[in-house]
Amino acid sequence: MNAPTPASRDAAELALAQPLAVRGGGRWRGLVLPVAAIALWWLLARADLVNSALLVSPGKVLATAADQIVGGKLWRALGASLARELTGFAIGTVSGLLLGVLLGLSPLFNRLVGPSFNTFKQISLFAWIPLISVWFGLGDTAKVVFLSLAALVPVVVNTCDGVRNAPPKLLEVARVYGYSRWQTFAQVVLPAAAPAIFTGVYLALIYSWLATIGAEYLLVAGVGIGNLLIEGSEHFQMDLVIFGMFVVGVIGWLMNALARVAERRLARLRGQDQ
């Protein structure tokens, strides 16, 4: 075997080093904009270029954050919001899976319910607030119903599409092997529809968290992150408002990250099964 030339060694080292450099740079590249925004915010506040009542300093926001965390107010608000979000997400997801499977599998059910659902999903989510508040009041029940509606639609749409788009060749193989309807669904249709179903569940998780803040802002009874924002706005405490917005963003980012981790693990398990 011929010994590698210096040029080939350099090329190999470059090929190995470049992905690492790209990955390393990409890992920190997402911090550039937030760091620049915080630096600009600090400079504007320190130079008094903006009314201090409208743009409080980062130091004041940090002091408010410490007070909320140490005093336990943040944990009570966050616990109440997450409990509503997860309850509404679970109800909407389970209902959406059942409805999506029925719409995807049964032509008769699709003809009977499909047109009504297509009309239902065109109605803005926040248009349901007046009706929900009259039927269920302003408490946690109304909020959970609202969040269930937010989670329902993406799960139904993606589940139905995934079930309908099962590869015809796989269905034909199932017929050749004499699979029953349940076996065909469990072993062929459901695995083929899994990526679309996961997309629907992922969207439901994100939409239900976003709807949680809207529900708490519009259905104002109770404790929650949305009510924390309202309290800051009503008392003109911009430090509390900015802190609340930061918490909402961090929780949303964590949910997105956890969903991506779950997606990668499910994809790895599906690859091992195949």
Side-chain angles (χ1 to χ4, degrees):
M1 182 180 293
N2 294 330
T5 64
S8 63
R9 286 199 300 268
D10 292 343
E13 291 174 359
L14 180 61
L16 290 173
Q18 187 172 3
L20 293 176
V22 170
R23 287 196 296 269
R27 188 177 303 163
W28 300 103
R29 200 173 295 141
L31 296 176
V32 172
L33 184 58
V35 170
I38 292 173
L40 178 62
W41 172 23
W42 181 81
L43 288 173
L44 290 174
R46 187 172 181 82
D48 289 330
L49 296 177
V50 180
N51 187 345
S52 59
L54 298 177
L55 186 68
V56 295
S57 66
K60 189 171 184 180
V61 174
L62 288 175
T64 299
D67 178 66
Q68 291 287 321
I69 293 171
V70 174
K73 294 180 181 178
L74 172 64
W75 308 121
R76 288 192 294 272
L78 192 57
S81 293
L82 288 175
R84 296 183 191 111
E85 195 270 344
L86 293 176
T87 303
F89 166 73
I91 294 173
T93 297
V94 172
S95 303
L97 289 172
L98 293 174
L99 183 56
V101 168
L102 288 173
L103 287 172
L105 288 180
S106 174
L108 176 60
F109 188 83
N110 187 43
R111 285 195 296 270
L112 291 175
V113 179
S116 298
F117 176 75
N118 289 332
T119 302
F120 167 81
K121 71 181 183 181
Q122 302 303 323
I123 301 175
S124 170
L125 182 62
F126 289 95
W128 292 99
I129 288 286
L131 193 61
I132 290 174
S133 63
V134 171
W135 284 357
F136 300 100
L138 300 176
D140 283 350
T141 301
K143 295 181 177 71
V144 169
V145 170
F146 181 75
L147 302 182
S148 301
L149 293 178
L152 177 72
V153 173
V155 176
V156 173
V157 171
N158 285 275
T159 301
C160 180
D161 288 345
V163 169
R164 284 180 180 174
N165 293 326
K169 290 183 179 180
L170 295 181
L171 297 176
E172 183 62 29
V173 171
R175 281 193 291 268
V176 169
Y177 280 95
Y179 281 18
S180 66
R181 288 187 176 181
W182 170 250
Q183 288 176 318
T184 301
F185 172 73
Q187 299 181 28
V188 178
V189 175
L190 192 58
I197 292 174
F198 184 86
T199 298
V201 174
Y202 166 74
L203 291 175
L205 181 66
I206 301 303
Y207 290 174
S208 58
W209 173 244
L210 296 176
T212 298
I213 309 306
E216 291 175 350
Y217 202 87
L218 296 172
L219 303 168
V220 293
V223 179
I225 294 297
N227 302 96
L228 196 70
L229 293 170
I230 293 174
E231 179 184 346
S233 176
E234 289 179 345
H235 294 86
F236 212 70
Q237 294 177 289
M238 292 299 102
D239 49 332
L240 187 57
V241 173
I242 293 174
F243 171 65
M245 292 173 62
F246 176 78
V247 171
V248 170
V250 168
I251 297 300
W253 179 83
L254 287 174
M255 288 183 176
N256 181 76
L258 290 174
R260 293 306 182 191
V261 171
E263 181 183 24
R264 287 193 294 269
R265 289 187 177 179
L266 287 174
R268 193 178 302 120
L269 290 175
R270 290 180 70 241
Q272 292 174 354
D273 292 340
Q274 294 173 357

